[in-house]
Amino acid sequence: MREKDTKERILDAAERIFAERGFAGTSLRAVTSAADVNLAAVHYHFGSKEALLQEILHRRVAPINQERAKRLDRIEARAAEEPPSVEEIVAAFLEPAVQLGDGPESDGRAVRALAARIYGEPRELVEPMIREEFGDLSRRFVALLGRARPELSRSEIESRFQFAVGVLIFVIAERYVSNLTPDSELDLNDREAIVRRMSAFIVHGLCAPPADARSRGGS
Amino acid sequence: MREKDTKERILDAAERIFAERGFAGTSLRAVTSAADVNLAAVHYHFGSKEALLQEILHRRVAPINQERAKRLDRIEARAAEEPPSVEEIVAAFLEPAVQLGDGPESDGRAVRALAARIYGEPRELVEPMIREEFGDLSRRFVALLGRARPELSRSEIESRFQFAVGVLIFVIAERYVSNLTPDSELDLNDREAIVRRMSAFIVHGLCAPPADARSRGGS
DNA sequence: GTATGATTCAAACGTTCGTTTGAATCATGG
DNA sequence: CCATGATTCAAACGAACGTTTGAATCATAC
């Protein structure tokens, strides 16, 4: 038996390659070759390529969503006494995600890139996965933001939550436009600064006055 | 000769299918079948699958970037007298993009989805395209934002610009998390409201105080 | 050592893919 | 009408794909 078992090696290799090439652009032969295992092992251990993707997502996303849920629990418990602040809600949303995949053996970059690129895959492939992993949590975030900003309609809160998701996904995916030019001063390795800036941007965006004249119309 | 010529039919069909399935997940047979043309026509007219993608991008993105460049010209001309406002810079950035692909014959949804999903494709495929189409414009937006917010470092401006890009991409891609749950009140057809809200969110995010203690350190 | 289930293996299946090829057809000008 | 280049066509090429198959090997318990 190898040092790291076959299943784990497949998961690690697939994670990296799915992140770079997407689901359709990743062949199982590329994965098994990178994992140094036999092609049939994928079917033996996972049943299908699609199930492999699902399992990769789950193994990475479940821990961060558990952490988010814990943080939400604490915020919700205190919300009975006083409304939550946008800052703490944003922290609960962002912090688990920006640490995604970091560990002693890995800097988590591929994991985060994969989590981000899921949003670009064909809808029928990933919407069930997204709904399953994030549906409940997003409802809870939206509800808490509603407590923090009661003058906004549910619809406007949902929009703003979505904008925050867009920022986060772009940041964790490290897909940048401006640093493609030679004069860019953006240092992608300064993650702390980027996270701090992102948090400030999102908090301030969320704290904007209502953009809708009839913002309370939808409730 | 058909009503619409072969080349145009291929471009239209490919645009739609690339947007749904991504580059690797799109077969030329799917495209040619949808366009009701012969498979070899793709190679005859475009040379390769990749060149087809490039041409699709260019035909859609070039007009919006021309419009953006025109708006930038106007803002830059006035910037000699007084600093530009964040609002007008954001409008110059967003408005051409949210109208992307809208015309008498098409609601532009597929076009926008494709423009958005380009960011998820393998880097070596799309970075040259992105650099070519957006490199110069992003430099100009960053420079103008620097004029509007001189207390921020170039690096922090670039980060914020990137966050704005993330929001825009998510919105034009119509990839939502919260509306996947049955109780969502987000109406994706109310584009005007969504754009208005997005603009407010971005403007307020960009107007946040410096997140970096040494924000002017990079200049 | 033997039996049994788990795991890995190499080969194959049937399908699909982007690209190429040479012939057929079309469009246009002289 | 003929010549010529443009365009479309059907077939094929060589490669790649996810999945399946049955045999071989491994691991473990008795």
Side-chain angles (χ1 to χ4, degrees):
Chain A
M1 199 34 137
R2 292 196 174 102
E3 207 183 278
K4 215 179 195 181
D5 77 25
T6 303
K7 197 171 166 179
E8 203 75 14
R9 293 152 68 85
I10 294 172
L11 287 167
D12 290 346
E15 195 164 81
R16 210 167 50 241
I17 302 174
F18 278 145
E20 280 164 31
R21 320 210 65 81
F23 184 71
T26 296
S27 73
L28 292 177
R29 285 166 176 85
V31 171
T32 53
S33 169
D36 195 29
V37 302
N38 184 275
L39 180 57
V42 176
H43 289 270
Y44 180 78
H45 288 285
F46 301 103
S48 69
K49 186 182 178 185
E50 202 168 301
L52 172 61
L53 178 65
Q54 202 149 19
E55 187 152 341
I56 286 168
L57 269 194
H58 185 74
R59 85 167 172 154
R60 294 305 190 189
V61 171
I64 80 155
N65 285 338
Q66 273 162 31
E67 178 59 27
R68 277 171 166 168
K70 270 199 250 158
R71 289 166 177 246
L72 286 182
D73 289 343
R74 291 202 293 265
I75 299 174
E76 284 162 356
R78 290 201 313 270
E81 300 161 17
E82 66 169 330
S85 72
V86 169
E87 282 85 353
E88 65 188 331
I89 298 166
V90 169
F93 172 63
L94 294 188
E95 279 165 14
V98 299
Q99 286 151 14
L100 179 61
D102 281 339
E105 296 177 23
S106 142
D107 75 358
R109 205 156 248 165
V111 185
R112 294 195 290 272
L114 178 58
R117 85 168 292 152
I118 283 301
Y119 290 93
E121 296 289 350
R123 287 171 193 267
E124 67 275 4
L125 176 66
V126 295
E127 275 183 5
M129 298 181 202
I130 293 173
R131 191 181 289 118
E132 175 166 335
E133 302 287 348
F134 294 107
D136 189 54
L137 273 182
S138 60
R139 201 187 295 113
R140 288 172 71 184
F141 275 115
V142 167
L144 275 183
L145 286 172
R147 302 285 288 271
R149 305 293 320 276
E151 71 279 14
L152 299 179
S153 68
R154 168 69 188 269
S155 180
E156 188 160 8
I157 297 273
E158 283 189 51
S159 287
R160 291 187 178 187
F161 177 67
Q162 199 53 53
F163 304 149
V165 173
V167 173
L168 174 62
I169 292 302
F170 249 63
V171 168
I172 67 176
E174 301 188 337
R175 282 300 182 102
Y176 290 96
V177 176
S178 67
N179 79 326
L180 298 181
T181 63
D183 61 339
S184 171
E185 290 181 28
L186 189 53
D187 176 11
L188 299 190
N189 292 315
D190 196 352
R191 275 186 52 216
E192 206 188 282
I194 289 174
V195 171
R196 191 170 60 240
R197 293 171 186 170
M198 165 170 70
S199 180
F201 183 92
I202 288 171
V203 167
H204 279 260
L206 290 172
C207 291
D212 297 348
R214 301 157 288 117
S215 197
R216 299 267 16 170
S219 303
Chain B
M1 198 36 140
R2 291 196 174 102
E3 206 183 280
K4 216 178 193 184
D5 77 26
T6 301
K7 196 170 168 179
E8 205 71 17
R9 294 152 68 84
I10 295 172
L11 287 168
D12 290 347
E15 195 164 83
R16 211 166 50 243
I17 302 173
F18 278 145
E20 281 164 31
R21 320 211 64 79
F23 184 71
T26 296
S27 73
L28 292 177
R29 286 167 174 83
V31 170
T32 52
S33 170
D36 195 30
V37 301
N38 183 275
L39 181 58
V42 175
H43 289 271
Y44 181 77
H45 287 285
F46 301 102
S48 70
K49 186 179 176 183
E50 200 168 303
L52 172 61
L53 178 66
Q54 203 149 16
E55 188 153 342
I56 287 168
L57 269 194
H58 184 73
R59 84 167 174 153
R60 294 303 190 192
V61 172
I64 81 154
N65 286 338
Q66 273 162 32
E67 179 59 27
R68 278 171 164 167
K70 270 200 249 160
R71 288 166 177 248
L72 285 182
D73 289 344
R74 290 202 292 267
I75 300 176
E76 282 162 356
R78 290 202 313 272
E81 298 161 21
E82 65 169 331
S85 72
V86 170
E87 283 85 352
E88 65 187 331
I89 297 166
V90 169
F93 172 64
L94 294 187
E95 280 165 15
V98 297
Q99 286 152 15
L100 177 60
D102 282 338
E105 296 177 20
S106 140
D107 74 357
R109 204 157 250 168
V111 184
R112 292 193 291 272
L114 178 59
R117 86 168 293 155
I118 283 300
Y119 289 93
E121 297 289 349
R123 288 173 193 265
E124 67 276 5
L125 175 66
V126 297
E127 275 183 6
M129 297 181 201
I130 294 174
R131 194 181 288 118
E132 176 166 336
E133 302 287 349
F134 295 107
D136 188 55
L137 275 182
S138 61
R139 202 187 294 114
R140 288 173 72 185
F141 275 116
V142 167
L144 275 183
L145 286 172
R147 301 285 287 271
R149 304 293 319 277
E151 72 279 13
L152 300 180
S153 67
R154 166 68 186 267
S155 179
E156 189 160 7
I157 298 270
E158 283 190 50
S159 287
R160 291 187 179 187
F161 176 66
Q162 200 51 54
F163 305 149
V165 172
V167 174
L168 174 62
I169 293 304
F170 248 63
V171 169
I172 66 176
E174 301 187 337
R175 281 302 180 101
Y176 290 97
V177 176
S178 66
N179 78 327
L180 298 181
T181 63
D183 61 340
S184 171
E185 290 181 26
L186 188 53
D187 177 11
L188 298 191
N189 293 314
D190 195 354
R191 276 188 49 219
E192 206 188 283
I194 289 174
V195 172
R196 191 171 59 240
R197 294 170 185 168
M198 166 171 68
S199 180
F201 184 91
I202 289 172
V203 167
H204 278 259
L206 289 173
C207 291
D212 297 348
R214 301 157 288 116
S215 195
R216 300 260 24 159
S219 302

